[in-house]
Amino acid sequence: MTTFIGRIDGKGRSLPTPALCDAWFADGLRFGDELVGLEPERVLGRWPGELETDAVVRLAQAVGVEATWDAHAQTPPVAQKLAERAQPLPLDLEIGRYLQHLQHVCHRPRLHLRVEEERLPVSRARRVPVRAVAELVSHPGDWEHRTLRSIQPSRVLARQIEDEWNLYENRVAVRLVDHLLAYLAKRLEELGKIKEILDASRDYSEEMQRTSYRRAHRIAELWSNTLESKTEEELTRTMKRLELAQRDLQTLLDAPLYQRVPRRQTVALSLKPTNILVNDPHYRKVAKLWRSWVKFGHKRQETAQQRAARRQSEAAAWDRFVLHLVVRGFAALGWSATPSGAGWALAKAGWLSVCLATDAMGVVRMDGGRTLRLLPICADLAGADPDAVQAQVEHLDGSDGEVVIAHVGSGVALTDADRASGWSIAGRAVLFPCSPWGIDSEERMARLLHGWLCRAAAPAYPVATTIRALPEWPGRRDWMRHEGDHLVAFRAPTDREASEARSWATGKARELDAQAQRTKAAKQAFTVAPREAVTAFEKFVAHAAEALMGMDDCPVCGAQGLVEPRPGKAADGSDATWWAICGSCSSEWGTRPCTGCGTRYRALVPQMGLDYSAAAEATPARAWPDKVFGRDLWAQPCSTGVMRQFRCPDCGACSGGVCSRCQVR
């Protein structure tokens, strides 16, 4: 009996109906839509096409088998060797060189005369052989009537002479037309994807009113490391040449030879050296083109074992691609990595540490204050039933941490748009479409990580503690508050403020120690609480300086900003927030309270010189706000009241509560 194990948790259970493609193990092997005994309608999604799988396999080879953090961080997570693929391949050149000979053969083929003898009505007989008289005499049934002098026939033996089209050499030419058309269709699809990349990265001048120039610059820089300067020219020439060849081959479908040779006639890959293929000047070139197709364009039929092994390697390459996106995302956000066991320990100034690792199921796991698991599935969900996909995704809600399912393609039109776009809200499972052919896969992954880090690795704000019997501190109080037993820091103290606090604590400690000595000498009772409170105060100042460090670092341009604490009214700082503005780029960031659930979440307002309302209206709902801001976001901006209202990462409601999507949620 087949044992099914879910990849997200490694637990065995019965296979759901339907099941997500590549989300399960069957007897220790990953499977998609080809498992024996599993009907196709029981699988959501299909195994990706050859272009997608070849791209991730080549990318995995470029990074290396034992990939380090630096190898991932320095290699763009995009389809490799695009410049080479944009140039004419050997078979492309052979097609251009010998296509005219194939055209000549299809329109003016060599034909043999086929001669057959059969008894036909006299009206249809045209050529009569010499033995026709003897045949007529021996077949009285063919007589119409008999006279005294002769026999009047109704049917007579006649010779039929017809052209023989279905020659071996002609079958080679006709089948070669089919093979070359299939090759050119695949080749032009690949070139079309490269052209999409070039079109998206070449010129953003038309979109500057709708997209961030920082995002545009990052994407252009990403592809400049992948594409060469002459790639566009080579691509244009190659596509034009192959499109002309494709049109010429399509016209051959109406040629007399193609119409006369039966479709079911096949030809072995190894050609027979017939006289026509060797001696005829046109057929000889057709034979050479056939051999070039066998060498460069034909893929041999796989056995079941070879197909299974290939899919296992493609699935492993897809897992590495998703990990590649994660590493690039962390590197782009300024995180550094140190090897730790089977993964890495990630660190960044002003943030809590994060552990990143990949388990035996291929799941990428990140642990900080919360847990995020990325399940890479080598599956294209474009043609799957959206309702069924959403039901399977919802089934993962409430599992250990937040779950992101990284699949191949451009996305699924789910009823819940948040799940389809990868905006994780309140620990729900979401989809994340990506591809090595996608120009913004890295940007969107960095955005997803950015949002998760703000919930899982951002230090608690404010820094608060309870210290009893702390003497009144006469220092400056705009960075902290001392009310009763509560001590709350709202921003990191400057060097001067920290020095003043330490000096007061040191002096106060000496004063209390001296007082304790006098009291002890007088053999009187004394309390140690004030002295312990001063020691705790020193630790609190050091902790506040470390925990709140980096609040004034602009997350957009890296310059220093001005932090404005908003202490709130609660003595323990539970309602405190902060907001900062960059003096260089005027971007704003900080924390905001949710009017729905009360959660305080981080939000970022990047300044890009855009009319945000116009950009929101001009951007499709599924692409907003990734097409405009890329990774420069902490919380999802609401399309209503753009960049002044944000959706709470926990409950999904925006601060204004007037957005139709927020009202539905």
Side-chain angles (χ1 to χ4, degrees):
M1 181 177 178
T2 303
T3 302
F4 295 102
I5 298 177
R7 291 180 54 213
I8 194 64
D9 55 8
K11 297 180 180 179
R13 59 173 67 90
S14 59
L15 190 68
T17 303
L20 281 174
C21 177
D22 193 37
W24 297 81
F25 275 91
D27 295 332
L29 296 176
R30 289 164 65 167
F31 67 93
D33 53 355
E34 80 294 346
L35 188 65
V36 177
L38 184 65
E39 299 177 356
E41 56 269 17
R42 293 188 59 190
V43 178
L44 292 173
R46 292 293 177 262
W47 204 261
E50 188 176 347
L51 284 177
E52 296 284 354
T53 55
D54 282 354
V56 294
V57 170
R58 289 197 193 100
L59 182 58
Q61 294 171 349
V63 174
V65 178
E66 298 295 333
T68 62
W69 178 274
D70 290 339
H72 279 118
Q74 295 172 6
T75 305
V78 295
Q80 299 294 297
K81 299 181 179 179
L82 296 184
E84 295 181 13
R85 303 297 295 179
Q87 297 176 357
L89 300 182
L91 183 54
D92 302 343
L93 299 174
E94 294 294 291
I95 292 174
R97 186 176 294 122
Y98 299 122
L99 180 57
Q100 57 181 335
H101 300 284
L102 181 59
Q103 291 174 302
H104 184 278
V105 167
C106 288
H107 288 288
R108 301 180 63 184
R110 293 281 293 267
L111 304 176
H112 285 178
L113 295 180
R114 182 177 62 199
V115 180
E116 296 181 352
E117 294 180 350
E118 66 175 308
R119 289 189 295 276
L120 298 175
V122 175
S123 60
R124 293 178 54 192
R126 293 294 181 267
R127 295 180 178 87
V128 179
V130 175
R131 63 188 187 92
V133 176
E135 286 287 328
L136 180 62
V137 172
S138 61
H139 291 81
D142 293 340
W143 300 354
E144 183 175 343
H145 62 270
R146 180 179 179 182
T147 66
L148 294 175
R149 295 184 176 183
S150 65
I151 298 173
Q152 185 66 34
S154 62
R155 292 190 303 174
V156 66
L157 184 66
R159 180 174 294 170
Q160 296 285 91
I161 301 178
E162 297 180 356
D163 292 330
E164 176 60 43
W165 295 78
N166 192 18
L167 304 180
Y168 172 75
E169 295 82 356
N170 291 340
R171 291 199 297 271
V172 171
V174 169
R175 296 288 78 81
L176 182 58
V177 172
D178 294 334
H179 297 323
L180 293 182
L181 282 174
Y183 166 79
L184 288 178
K186 175 187 171 183
R187 182 82 171 98
L188 287 172
E189 182 184 1
E190 179 184 34
L191 295 177
K193 282 187 171 290
I194 299 176
K195 187 175 185 300
E196 290 177 5
I197 293 172
L198 287 171
D199 291 342
S201 61
R202 181 183 67 249
D203 184 14
Y204 282 88
S205 60
E206 297 180 0
E207 299 185 5
M208 287 304 293
Q209 300 301 320
R210 303 190 303 272
T211 188
S212 161
Y213 70 89
R214 296 183 184 276
R215 173 183 176 273
H217 175 75
R218 289 193 296 265
I219 292 178
E221 184 179 4
L222 172 67
W223 287 109
S224 66
N225 297 328
T226 306
L227 301 174
E228 298 178 1
S229 58
K230 296 183 178 180
T231 300
E232 186 175 2
E233 298 176 5
E234 291 285 353
L235 177 66
T236 302
R237 286 196 293 267
T238 303
M239 289 190 69
K240 184 176 180 180
R241 182 182 304 174
L242 296 185
E243 286 171 353
L244 290 174
Q246 185 184 49
R247 286 197 292 269
D248 290 341
L249 283 169
Q250 288 173 342
T251 60
L252 297 183
L253 300 180
D254 296 326
L257 180 62
Y258 192 91
Q259 297 293 327
R260 298 295 184 90
V261 174
R263 295 286 182 88
R264 296 182 179 180
Q265 293 287 344
T266 60
V267 178
L269 295 178
S270 180
L271 295 181
K272 302 175 184 177
T274 64
N275 288 333
I276 295 178
L277 291 179
V278 172
N279 298 319
D280 187 281
H282 296 290
Y283 279 87
R284 185 167 62 245
K285 302 301 183 183
V286 169
K288 189 169 184 179
L289 184 55
W290 175 280
R291 295 186 182 96
S292 297
W293 168 77
V294 171
K295 181 177 180 180
F296 300 111
H298 172 68
K299 287 197 172 182
R300 298 186 180 276
Q301 188 70 26
E302 294 178 317
T303 63
Q305 292 79 5
Q306 290 173 335
R307 177 183 174 87
R310 174 178 60 81
R311 289 202 165 187
Q312 295 301 307
S313 63
E314 290 171 352
W318 178 253
D319 293 350
R320 294 186 60 184
F321 169 69
V322 174
L323 176 62
H324 196 162
L325 289 179
V326 172
V327 172
R328 290 278 297 190
F330 273 110
L333 297 176
W335 288 72
S336 60
T338 303
S340 175
W344 297 281
L346 310 182
K348 182 180 178 181
W351 296 75
L352 304 178
S353 61
V354 174
C355 294
L356 171 64
T358 303
D359 63 19
M361 300 290 176
V363 178
V364 181
R365 183 183 179 104
M366 285 158 279
D367 292 294
R370 300 189 186 188
T371 298
L372 175 65
R373 289 179 296 166
L374 270 73
L375 171 64
I377 59 172
C378 191
D380 187 349
L381 303 180
D385 179 16
D387 294 335
V389 173
Q390 182 162 322
Q392 290 298 314
V393 175
E394 290 175 352
H395 183 69
L396 298 175
D397 288 353
S399 56
D400 179 20
E402 296 176 329
V403 177
V404 177
I405 302 174
H407 65 93
V408 183
S410 57
V412 186
L414 301 183
T415 304
D416 189 341
D418 292 330
R419 292 187 186 271
S421 59
W423 286 100
S424 180
I425 295 177
R428 303 185 311 155
V430 297
L431 296 176
F432 181 82
C434 54
S435 169
W437 295 100
I439 195 168
D440 64 342
S441 293
E442 179 182 327
E443 277 285 304
R444 291 186 296 106
M445 177 60 77
R447 179 267 295 169
L448 184 147
L449 296 175
H450 219 171
W452 176 77
L453 288 169
C454 286
R455 302 191 300 275
Y461 183 85
V463 174
T465 188
T466 301
I467 302 179
R468 291 185 173 85
L470 178 66
E472 189 67 20
W473 177 48
R476 294 180 61 185
R477 303 293 182 87
D478 56 345
W479 67 276
M480 63 162 290
R481 180 171 64 198
H482 180 202
E483 185 175 332
D485 294 336
H486 298 288
L487 202 60
V488 184
F490 301 106
R491 62 171 175 83
T494 64
D495 293 341
R496 180 179 177 180
E497 292 168 341
S499 177
E500 289 178 353
R502 287 193 298 268
S503 298
W504 173 83
T506 302
K508 197 66 176 178
R510 286 198 299 266
E511 178 184 339
L512 292 174
D513 289 342
Q515 182 180 355
Q517 290 292 339
R518 292 194 299 270
T519 305
K520 185 176 181 181
K523 297 182 180 181
Q524 296 177 352
F526 66 93
T527 178
V528 298
R531 180 64 179 88
E532 294 176 349
V534 171
T535 302
F537 175 77
E538 289 184 288
K539 295 180 180 179
F540 170 79
V541 173
H543 175 61
E546 180 181 358
L548 301 179
M549 178 180 59
M551 288 174 53
D552 56 350
D553 293 338
C554 177
V556 177
C557 69
Q560 294 295 306
L562 178 63
V563 177
E564 177 193 349
R566 298 173 179 176
K569 297 180 180 180
D572 59 356
S574 58
D575 59 347
T577 60
W578 61 277
W579 199 249
I581 183 170
C582 178
S584 177
C585 68
S586 299
S587 296
E588 301 177 36
W589 66 97
T591 56
R592 289 193 171 186
C594 176
T595 57
C597 64
T599 301
R600 291 173 297 168
Y601 61 90
R602 288 196 167 200
L604 170 61
V605 183
Q607 293 298 328
M608 307 298 179
L610 295 177
D611 183 345
Y612 296 126
S613 298
E617 293 177 359
T619 305
R622 291 181 60 185
W624 168 262
D626 287 318
K627 282 287 186 181
V628 179
F629 300 103
R631 73 181 188 218
D632 295 324
L633 289 174
W634 285 351
Q636 183 182 13
C638 190
S639 57
T640 304
V642 180
M643 306 316 292
R644 291 303 168 190
Q645 296 178 8
F646 293 88
R647 304 188 65 208
C648 173
D650 282 358
C651 69
C654 69
S655 54
V658 296
C659 173
S660 58
R661 182 185 295 180
C662 302
Q663 290 175 348
V664 171
R665 286 198 44 77

